[in-house]
Amino acid sequence: MPPIDLGLPTPPPTTPVRRRSRQIHVGDVPVGGGAPVSVQTMTTTPTTDIDATLQQIAEITAAGCDIVRVAVPSADDAAALPAIVAKSKLPVIADIHFQPRYVFAAIDAGCAAVRVNPGNIKKFDDRIAEIAAAAFAADVPIRVGVNAGSLDPRLLAKYGRATPEALVESALWECSLFEEHGFRDLKIAVKHHDPLTVITANRQLAERCDYPLHLGVTEAGTVLQGSVKSAVAFGILLGEGIGDTIRVSLSAPPVEQVKAGIHILQSLGLRPRRLEIVSCPGCGRLQVDIHHLAAKVEAAFDGFPHPLRIAVMGCVVNGPGESREADLGVSCGNGKGQIYRKGEVVRTVPEAKIVDTLLDEALRLVEETPSALGETQDGAGR
C-alpha cells in the first residue's frame, strides 16, 4: 500500500559523521578507517575449558557479536588458544595481564589480536621491541588497554587518581614506545567506571591521535545500571563520531552484553535494526497489562530472522498513530486489540489472541512484501 501521509515533517539524517582513524584488521573484521562500529564481548568461561568456551562463543556469534576476547592468565590458558582459534567463527583476541610471555604464545596460536594492559605487566616496556617484532611478523594488531583499576603507579602518583589525563597519558606513552619500533597497528582503550571520565578521556584521545578507539565503561554494573551508564557514554561519543568498537561490560552473561551493544548501535543508526518493540510506558488510561503484553511479544519474536518494528500500545491516544508507523502494531482497549499491518487495520482480536495474531501477520508480511521490512512510512530505513 502507498505510504500514509500523517502530516509529519521528514526527520533529518541522524547518523553521526565518524572520526576518521587509521584502520586495522582484527582477523577479517576491519576496525577504524570508516568501518562499521563492531561489538565485542569477553568469554566468562575458563579458557582452559575449550568446549565451554567455544559454546559461549557460538552463543554470542548467534547474538550478533563481531569480535571475542578470552582471558589468558596462565600457561594452561595459553595452551588452549590454538584449539579455540581454530574452531571459533569470531576473531579471537587474547587478553594478557602480568606475564608478557603469553603475548608471544597468543601470536603463535593464531589469535587475531592481543590486548595488553601495560599497568600490570611486569617490565612491559622492556619487552616492547620483541612484542612489536613478533606482532609485525604475524600481522597481528595490539590493543593497548588502560584501566582505571590497574593504572601505572607512576601516573597514579603524578595525578593522584585515575583522571582522564592520566589514562590518556598512559595509553599514548605506550603507543609511542611501539612507534619507536615502527609498529602502528594499534587500537586504544581507556576505561573507567565513571561515564564522564570515559567521555573526557576519549575526546582527548580523538584530538591527539588517529588510532582506532575501543569504548568501554569498565565494571559498569548490573544489567540496568551498566546498560544505562554504557549507553550514556557511548551515545555521546558515538554521536560525536568517536569510537570504532564497543563492549558493554555488564555483570551479566556475554550474550546480554552483546544484545545491549547492538541495541545502542541500532538506536544511533550505526547498525541495521532487528526486532524493535515500540511500547507505551503505561498510565491510568490502560485497559490491558501493557508491560506483560510487551514482554510476551518480545519473547515470541525472539530470534525472528527478519527486521521488524512492532508497536504494542495500550490505549487510543497514541496507539493508532504508533501502530500505523510500525511494520506491525496493536492498539488495545476493552479486552481487544486492533492489529495493524503496514499502516492498515487488518484484524480485531481478543486480548488473549494478540501475540499469536501478530506472529501470524508477521509471517504473512514476510511472504507478501519481504523488501518492505525495516522501512518507515516515509521509506527511510532506521
Side-chain angles (χ1 to χ4, degrees):
M1 64 175 293
I4 296 174
D5 184 5
L6 299 178
L8 300 175
T10 301
T14 57
T15 303
V17 177
R18 301 278 304 284
R19 162 184 174 262
R20 197 72 178 181
S21 68
R22 67 172 63 228
Q23 188 172 91
I24 63 172
H25 283 80
V26 179
D28 59 358
V29 177
V31 174
V37 178
S38 59
V39 175
Q40 298 187 22
T41 189
M42 190 170 183
T43 54
T44 58
T45 55
T47 305
T48 51
D49 190 339
I50 295 172
D51 290 340
T53 300
L54 287 171
Q55 175 61 35
Q56 201 167 72
I57 291 174
E59 292 169 359
I60 62 174
T61 302
C65 191
D66 300 303
I67 299 170
V68 64
R69 185 156 46 108
V70 300
V72 188
S74 71
D76 289 339
D77 296 300
L81 288 175
I84 293 171
V85 169
K87 295 184 178 180
S88 172
K89 292 185 178 181
L90 298 180
V92 175
I93 298 178
D95 190 72
I96 309 298
H97 296 264
F98 306 117
Q99 296 293 340
R101 68 176 182 271
Y102 299 144
V103 174
F104 304 104
I107 292 172
D108 291 341
C111 288
V114 177
R115 185 264 186 159
V116 295
N117 187 339
N120 61 16
I121 296 181
K122 297 177 181 178
K123 299 182 178 179
F124 177 76
D125 292 356
D126 297 337
R127 305 295 299 274
I128 281 184
E130 299 172 69
I131 292 171
F136 180 81
D139 196 22
V140 172
I142 300 290
R143 169 177 151 185
V144 175
V146 178
N147 277 21
S150 53
L151 189 63
D152 190 309
R154 293 169 295 180
L155 291 171
L156 279 177
K158 177 179 178 180
Y159 289 95
R161 59 188 177 87
T163 63
E165 293 74 19
L167 297 172
V168 169
E169 182 174 330
S170 176
L172 293 180
W173 166 255
E174 300 301 337
C175 288
S176 72
L177 297 181
F178 278 102
E179 291 167 357
E180 288 179 2
H181 301 285
F183 188 84
R184 290 181 171 81
D185 284 342
L186 301 168
K187 178 173 63 174
I188 297 177
V190 289
K191 294 189 175 183
H192 197 284
H193 65 269
D194 173 45
L196 297 179
T197 300
V198 171
I199 293 166
T200 302
N202 279 280
R203 283 173 171 166
Q204 292 179 10
L205 282 171
E207 292 177 353
R208 297 178 60 182
C209 73
D210 67 350
Y211 290 118
L213 303 178
H214 172 78
L215 305 183
V217 179
T218 191
E219 291 94 35
T222 56
V223 172
L224 175 59
Q225 179 173 280
S227 295
V228 170
K229 290 167 69 173
S230 298
V232 167
F234 299 174
I236 290 173
L237 289 168
L238 292 171
E240 296 175 0
I242 299 170
D244 301 286
T245 67
I246 64 171
R247 181 196 177 192
V248 182
S249 299
L250 305 175
S251 297
V255 165
E256 298 305 315
Q257 301 178 22
V258 172
K259 290 179 179 178
I262 289 173
H263 279 300
I264 291 171
L265 295 183
Q266 289 175 345
S267 297
L268 292 166
L270 293 171
R271 180 172 286 219
R273 66 181 178 87
R274 294 181 178 180
L275 178 69
E276 179 184 359
I277 303 294
V278 178
S279 58
C280 62
C283 70
R285 295 186 299 266
L286 293 185
Q287 297 174 323
V288 64
D289 185 347
I290 198 67
H291 304 151
H292 181 63
L293 178 59
K296 287 176 64 177
V297 172
E298 186 175 44
F301 280 87
D302 186 35
F304 195 76
H306 303 280
L308 282 178
R309 185 181 306 123
I310 303 175
V312 183
M313 306 300 295
C315 77
V316 296
V317 174
N318 293 316
E322 289 288 359
S323 297
R324 283 196 299 265
E325 286 288 285
D327 298 306
L328 292 172
V330 59
S331 182
C332 302
N334 295 322
K336 298 179 181 180
Q338 280 191 324
I339 306 297
Y340 289 75
R341 180 155 61 92
K342 285 295 179 182
E344 181 181 0
V345 177
V346 292
R347 299 165 75 174
T348 299
V349 300
E351 183 180 328
K353 294 186 177 181
I354 287 174
V355 175
D356 289 341
T357 304
L358 287 172
L359 281 168
D360 181 52
E361 292 298 334
L363 294 174
R364 292 189 184 192
L365 184 61
V366 170
E367 292 175 359
E368 295 173 8
T369 55
S371 62
L373 292 181
E375 295 189 351
T376 61
Q377 289 294 325
D378 64 5
R382 186 167 98 177

